[in-house]
């Protein structure tokens, strides 16, 4: 997980090029400690803590109203937190005004100065800092080359495309070597195709300049692609911080599981090395380790983690869950989606029993079955075809267990 | 071959168009066009020579100069204060803000004679503040300063009214961006905010000036209307007309009419230019 913050003294001279001097450092660039904030009576942020490592890109992911913009504005110094600290390269900047923090904000609509040319926009930070004209010119030229806008240097913002404007906005912040780059929904105003294109461009650019950055977005696909790590926010508190793999494959909470992609949830009870879900017993020695016997848990798995087999023979690495019946088959472009109803009322198959039970779910007692969603890649879908009403065996390649807090609270 | 339709559509003659244009012009003729035209016709009736001699009469020259000077200072004050007031009122929210906005705009609705009267009541030689000034050996009323004060009062809301909406619609993120880049408030105002306001400032200044130059009602009360000392151009016109010197009055009237014509042409035609500039530069 995140390395512990070290309040190591940081040398005065933070940046030499866009950031190369930091390459050999393995410190924390920005750190948010216990930030809380309320507007009027409404609590917007609750005890938010996370770090951004040097050269890392962290994505704050959350639905609208989750407080992600407020976090960004607090880091930038455009908003004051009620409690907590903002630390940039080891220095507490909580009480510093925005202009003394040296962060670069890329606003949603880019906020380029309409009366300045591309060149002047990029040179603004240096002009403000009263750098000599020669140095200014050199840095602006280098940045124009970096963001490939040399031939647009004399143009005004309104003469540029959205993507070009965004590059100007980034170059404008890079000019004064920001401690951290903050992107406020950078692709919100663009159409789907440009968006995908631009985020690859930005990712490549950030790899080049190695400036630590924080993105905010509500788009999970964007988060997975842009983030070295993702912080999932829900109604003002952090649900989980982790790599895209951790967050997607091992969600820490139900919210994370359902917000990032589709997820199936089943209620179960821990029994030794197994999870019991109704009549089904799933071996889960590793997953149950952190739970006590008899604890109520939620079993979470993605549609693509489901293996489906027409007989009892599940593929290698698939843990048997239950028998089921196929209720609906839909073809969704890249894969096939199956709506499946699990039979969790019958006992597990015994040695002598036939491989498949008569699943009761297609009877008037249908409601006793539990619906899940599974997806199959095309090759599978093409080799083994199913039709609605087919009885199948269901296994899981991977899943995670979450404590069932809702139930615990009810007790 | 493509079959050509038998009935060719001939461009029809729309009667409504010339008709409505002529009606509009017919209404405007006695109301606006003829009065303006008559100033020019009467003023130059006895040849340009007499017009010129009426114009360069010392009192006339003085009245014009005084009008220009007092209007200029009133404009300077009202543009600067209007800018400041617009900045404060669109950037900060405070209790009673709307009341302040209404009060600032109030002078537009107050009859100018009332405005002049009110100033007299406050600053006159026997009034509260006027007596205080008198003790310092300074008299405000019946001096050019009184004219500036009256002009300021009457044209108060004009520049503010033009600048405020531009402030309101200007994106906050521009100023925030400037702040995060490292600019002080003053630098942000100078490099980012002010350039966006250029059109509004020029427009507001022209409006204020045009209105101040023509101000009569309040000026006549506070200035004392002393020829060669506190007589502005509109007062001069009124005085000469009362004395029966129509030609003298007419010469100045022509100058004022032309001046306002020029100012409003600039406002009208520069509007596109200013907005274009706002986008381009």
């Amino acid at each position: 997980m995140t390395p512990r913050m070290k309040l190591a003294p940081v040398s005065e001279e933070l940046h030499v090029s866009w950031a190369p001097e930091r390459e050999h450092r393995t410190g924390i660039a920005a750190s948010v400690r216990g930030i809380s904030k309320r507007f009027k009576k409404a609590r917007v942020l609750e005890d938010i803590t996370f770090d951004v490592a040097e050269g890392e890109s962290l994505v704050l992911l959350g639905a609208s109203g989750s407080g992600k913009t407020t976090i960004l504005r607090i880091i930038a110094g455009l908003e004051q937190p009620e409690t907590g600290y903002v630390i940039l390269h080891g220095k507490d900047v909580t009480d510093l005004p925005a202009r003394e923090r040296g962060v670069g904000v890329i606003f949603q609509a880019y906020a380029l100065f309409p009366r300045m040319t591309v060149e002047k926009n990029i040179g603004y930070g240096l002009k403000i800092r009263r750098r000599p004209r020669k140095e200014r010119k050199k840095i602006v030229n280098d940045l124009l080359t970096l963001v490939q806008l040399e031939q647009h240097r004399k143009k005004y913002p309104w003469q540029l495309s959205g993507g070009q404007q965004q590059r100007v906005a980034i170059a404008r912040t890079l000019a004064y070597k920001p401690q951290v780059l903050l992107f406020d929904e950078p692709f919100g105003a663009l159409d789907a195709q440009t968006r995908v294109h631009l985020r690859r461009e930005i990712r490549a650019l950030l790899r080049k300049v190695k400036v630590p950055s924080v993105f905010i977005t509500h788009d999970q696909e964007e988060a997975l692609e842009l983030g070295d790590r993702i912080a999932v926010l829900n109604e003002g508190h952090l649900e989980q911080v982790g790599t895209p793999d951790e967050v997607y494959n091992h969600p820490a909470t139900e919210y994370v599981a359902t917000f990032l992609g589709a997820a199936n949830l089943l209620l179960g009870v821990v029994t030794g090395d197994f999870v019991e879900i109704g009549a089904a017993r799933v071996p889960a020695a590793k997953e149950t380790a952190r739970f006590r016997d008899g604890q109520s848990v939620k079993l979470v798995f993605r549609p693509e983690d489901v293996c489906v087999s027409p007989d009892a023979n599940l593929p290698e690495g698939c843990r048997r869950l239950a028998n089921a019946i196929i209720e609906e088959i839909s073809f969704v472009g890249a894969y096939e989606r199956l709506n499946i109803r699990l039979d969790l009322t019958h006992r597990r198959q015994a040695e002598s029993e036939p491989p498949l039970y008569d699943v009761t779910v297609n009877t008037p007692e249908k409601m006793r079955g539990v619906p899940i969603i599974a997806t199959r890649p095309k090759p599978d879908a093409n080799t083994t075809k199913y039709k609605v009403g087919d009885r199948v065996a269901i296994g899981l390649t991977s899943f995670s267990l979450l404590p069932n807090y809702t139930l615990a609270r009810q007790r | 071959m493509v079959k050509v339709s038998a009935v060719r559509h001939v461009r029809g003659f729309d009667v409504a168009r010339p008709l409505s244009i002529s009606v509009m012009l017919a209404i405007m003729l006695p109301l606006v066009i003829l009065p303006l035209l008559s100033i020019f016709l009467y003023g130059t009736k006895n040849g340009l020579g007499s017009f010129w001699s009426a114009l360069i009469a010392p009192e006339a020259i003085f009245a014009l100069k005084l009008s220009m000077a007092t209007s200029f200072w009133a404009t300077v004050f009202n543009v600067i204060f209007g800018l400041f007031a617009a900045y404060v009122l669109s950037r900060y929210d405070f209790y009673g803000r709307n009341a302040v906005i209404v009060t600032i705009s109030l002078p537009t609705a107050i009859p100018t004679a009332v405005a002049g009267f009110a100033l007299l009541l406050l600053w006159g030689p026997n009034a509260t503040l006027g007596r205080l000034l008198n003790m310092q050996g300074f008299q405000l009323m019946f001096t050019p300063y009184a004219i500036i004060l009256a002009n300021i009062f009457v044209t108060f809301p004009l520049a503010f009214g033009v600048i405020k909406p531009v402030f309101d619609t200007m994106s906050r993120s521009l100023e925030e961006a400037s702040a995060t880049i490292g600019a002080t408030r003053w630098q942000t105002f100078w490099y980012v905010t002010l350039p966006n306001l250029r059109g509004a400032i020029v427009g507001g200044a022209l409006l204020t000036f045009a209105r101040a130059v023509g101000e009569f009602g309040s000026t006549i009360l506070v200035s004392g209307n002393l020829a060669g000392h506190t007589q502005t151009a509109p007062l001069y016109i009124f005085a000469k007309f009362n004395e029966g010197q129509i030609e003298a009055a007419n010469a100045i009237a022509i100058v004022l009419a032309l001046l306002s014509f020029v100012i409003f042409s600039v406002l009208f035609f520069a509007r596109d230019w200013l907005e274009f500039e706002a986008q381009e530069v």
Side-chain angles (χ1 to χ4, degrees):
Chain A
M1 282 299 284
T2 58
R4 292 296 300 168
M5 186 207 49
K6 275 182 301 204
L7 278 163
V10 174
S11 69
E12 284 301 303
E13 187 193 84
L14 273 176
H15 334 272
V16 170
S17 178
W18 315 128
E21 185 237 355
R22 287 192 208 136
E23 278 176 63
H24 60 271
R25 294 224 304 250
T26 48
I28 289 164
S31 167
V32 165
R33 306 270 118 194
I35 293 282
S36 299
K37 172 88 180 168
R38 62 176 81 208
F39 285 129
K40 304 255 163 78
K41 286 269 163 62
R43 205 172 250 291
V44 189
L45 295 176
E46 216 168 325
D47 197 21
I48 302 288
T49 299
F50 62 82
D51 297 318
V52 186
E54 289 294 357
E56 182 190 42
S57 101
L58 179 100
V59 177
L60 289 174
L61 176 68
S64 55
S66 58
K68 53 194 194 304
T69 306
T70 311
I71 296 182
L72 197 86
R73 292 177 63 86
I74 287 173
I75 301 176
L78 298 169
E79 209 93 63
Q80 275 300 308
E82 241 149 70
T83 63
Y85 305 92
V86 177
I87 294 153
L88 296 177
H89 288 104
K91 189 184 170 206
D92 182 356
V93 298
T94 318
D95 296 323
L96 283 186
R99 67 184 167 88
E100 287 170 36
R101 294 196 183 187
V103 300
V105 185
I106 285 84
F107 287 84
Q108 195 169 11
Y110 316 130
L112 297 180
F113 304 128
R115 298 209 169 214
M116 297 183 196
T117 57
V118 168
E119 262 179 338
K120 283 184 179 158
N121 263 289
I122 297 176
Y124 183 69
L126 301 169
K127 187 172 165 186
I128 291 299
R129 286 166 176 75
R130 305 220 160 78
R131 293 285 176 76
R133 179 178 274 274
K134 232 180 180 173
E135 185 195 336
R136 254 154 58 185
K137 210 169 166 187
K138 190 188 173 299
I139 293 176
V140 169
N141 279 337
D142 291 352
L143 282 167
L144 281 168
T145 315
L146 180 77
V147 297
Q148 294 162 22
L149 286 171
E150 295 103 321
Q151 69 271 45
H152 301 291
R153 59 196 311 150
K154 296 286 181 206
K155 286 191 181 166
Y156 288 92
W158 61 275
Q159 295 171 307
L160 302 175
S161 72
Q164 290 169 335
Q165 289 187 33
Q166 189 168 54
R167 263 141 59 199
V168 177
I170 296 173
R172 185 173 71 175
T173 59
L174 289 178
Y176 55 90
K177 281 144 199 155
Q179 309 229 36
V180 57
L181 280 179
L182 307 173
F183 291 83
D184 182 6
E185 300 252 4
F187 313 106
L190 303 164
D191 59 273
Q193 274 195 333
T194 329
R195 195 182 294 199
V196 174
H197 177 69
L198 272 188
R199 82 179 169 229
R200 302 216 164 121
E201 246 181 47
I202 287 198
R203 190 93 175 98
L205 184 67
L206 286 180
R207 288 230 173 89
K208 233 188 275 175
V209 299
K210 296 192 177 68
V211 179
S213 26
V214 177
F215 287 87
I216 67 174
T217 182
H218 58 264
D219 185 326
Q220 49 126 339
E221 199 187 307
E222 209 167 284
L224 291 170
E225 189 168 336
L226 278 173
D228 293 326
R229 282 188 307 142
I230 297 174
V232 185
L233 269 172
N234 177 28
E235 287 176 356
H237 62 93
L238 268 185
E239 296 267 339
Q240 189 178 4
V241 187
T243 63
D245 173 66
E246 281 167 357
V247 177
Y248 187 82
N249 291 321
H250 306 285
T253 66
E254 193 181 328
Y255 182 83
V256 175
T258 49
F259 192 75
L260 270 128
N264 293 297
L265 285 158
L266 296 175
L267 283 181
V269 177
V270 173
T271 331
D273 285 348
F274 294 86
V275 186
E276 282 195 349
I277 302 144
R281 268 164 67 88
V282 184
K286 213 174 81 206
E287 288 87 348
T288 53
R290 66 192 183 104
F291 296 99
R292 60 184 160 71
D293 218 30
Q295 194 171 349
S296 166
V297 289
K298 276 177 180 157
L299 185 100
V300 184
F301 55 95
R302 307 252 167 227
E304 65 267 25
D305 293 335
V306 179
C307 3
V308 185
S309 164
D311 47 48
N313 303 320
L314 287 162
E316 188 96 353
C318 231
R319 282 176 277 183
R320 188 187 165 77
L321 176 64
N323 293 328
I325 192 152
I326 294 185
E327 273 198 330
E328 203 184 313
I329 301 168
S330 34
F331 175 66
V332 201
Y335 53 87
E336 183 191 61
R337 193 176 66 204
L338 303 169
N339 288 25
I340 297 169
R341 209 167 267 274
L342 291 177
D343 174 20
L344 297 170
T345 53
H346 283 69
R347 285 302 311 164
R348 232 171 115 248
Q349 173 189 15
E351 206 69 38
S352 57
E353 279 170 327
L356 288 177
Y357 292 98
D358 283 341
V359 179
T360 52
V361 287
N362 211 17
T363 64
E365 298 161 60
K366 193 173 178 176
M367 292 318 289
R368 288 160 65 195
V370 177
I372 61 165
I373 290 170
T375 54
R376 294 199 302 164
K378 259 186 180 167
D380 285 7
N382 286 340
T383 44
T384 333
K385 291 208 191 287
Y386 293 118
K387 40 185 209 305
V388 173
D390 276 357
R391 282 154 196 176
V392 289
I394 298 294
L396 300 175
T397 49
S398 86
F399 57 83
S400 42
L401 291 184
L402 302 174
N404 188 1
Y405 286 127
T406 7
L407 216 61
R409 224 171 275 157
Q410 279 164 359
R411 273 177 201 164
Chain B
M1 277 291 288
V2 181
K3 198 189 166 206
V4 180
S5 102
V7 184
R8 299 288 299 264
H9 284 279
V10 181
R11 188 173 293 171
F13 182 73
D14 184 8
V15 188
R17 194 178 105 109
L19 199 66
S20 29
I21 292 175
S22 356
V23 167
M24 184 194 69
L25 287 178
I27 295 171
M28 278 178 65
L29 205 64
L31 287 179
V32 183
I33 300 169
L34 285 182
L36 281 177
L37 211 60
S38 61
I39 303 177
F40 289 96
L41 291 179
Y42 282 107
T44 52
K45 191 173 58 180
N46 301 327
L48 281 173
S50 65
F51 165 73
W52 185 249
S53 58
L55 194 63
I56 57 167
E59 277 180 20
I61 296 277
F62 178 86
L64 277 175
K65 274 188 181 165
L66 183 65
S67 272
M68 298 297 141
T70 51
S71 303
F72 174 77
W73 290 115
T75 305
V76 168
F77 179 87
N78 273 350
V79 165
I80 292 173
F81 183 79
L83 193 63
F84 176 67
Y87 182 82
V88 172
L89 287 169
S90 73
R91 286 296 176 259
Y92 301 105
D93 201 357
F94 55 90
Y95 186 78
R97 186 176 69 152
N98 282 336
V100 175
I101 293 176
V102 170
T103 314
I104 282 194
S105 316
L106 205 59
T108 355
I110 294 181
T112 51
V114 175
F117 187 59
L119 287 175
L120 267 182
L121 283 183
L122 183 68
W123 296 101
N126 299 316
T128 351
L129 286 176
R131 211 177 302 162
L132 259 169
L133 278 182
N134 255 346
M135 288 195 295
Q136 312 297 316
F138 185 77
Q139 195 195 340
L140 182 68
M141 283 298 110
F142 317 123
T143 68
Y145 299 109
I147 301 172
I148 296 176
L149 196 66
N151 280 346
I152 287 175
F153 186 103
V154 171
T155 61
F156 208 51
L158 292 175
F160 172 79
V162 176
I163 295 168
K164 171 99 187 331
V166 183
F167 256 121
D168 288 342
T169 54
M170 196 187 299
S171 167
R172 270 313 278 280
S173 54
L174 283 185
E175 286 171 2
E176 288 181 343
S178 176
T180 57
I181 289 169
T184 60
R185 256 168 220 246
W186 177 243
Q187 284 170 323
T188 298
F189 182 77
W190 187 252
Y191 291 120
V192 177
T193 315
L194 208 55
N196 282 326
L197 289 170
R198 204 172 61 188
I201 289 172
V202 172
L206 285 174
L207 263 182
T208 307
F209 188 79
R211 180 76 180 74
V213 162
E215 178 50 26
F216 181 83
S218 62
T219 319
I220 199 161
L221 281 165
V222 301
S223 70
N225 194 11
L226 202 60
H229 290 281
T230 57
Q231 194 174 57
T232 62
L235 299 186
Y236 179 86
I237 296 174
F238 183 65
K240 290 297 159 192
F241 179 79
N242 277 348
E243 293 165 19
Q245 298 186 38
I246 309 293
E247 274 208 350
N250 210 329
I252 298 297
I254 288 179
V255 173
L256 289 189
L258 281 177
L259 182 71
S260 59
F261 184 74
V262 168
I263 289 176
F264 276 93
S265 304
V266 170
L267 272 181
F268 187 80
F269 291 108
R271 178 162 296 165
D272 287 344
W273 174 77
L274 287 170
E275 269 168 25
F276 180 69
E277 283 285 291
Q279 203 180 34
E280 191 190 46
V281 179

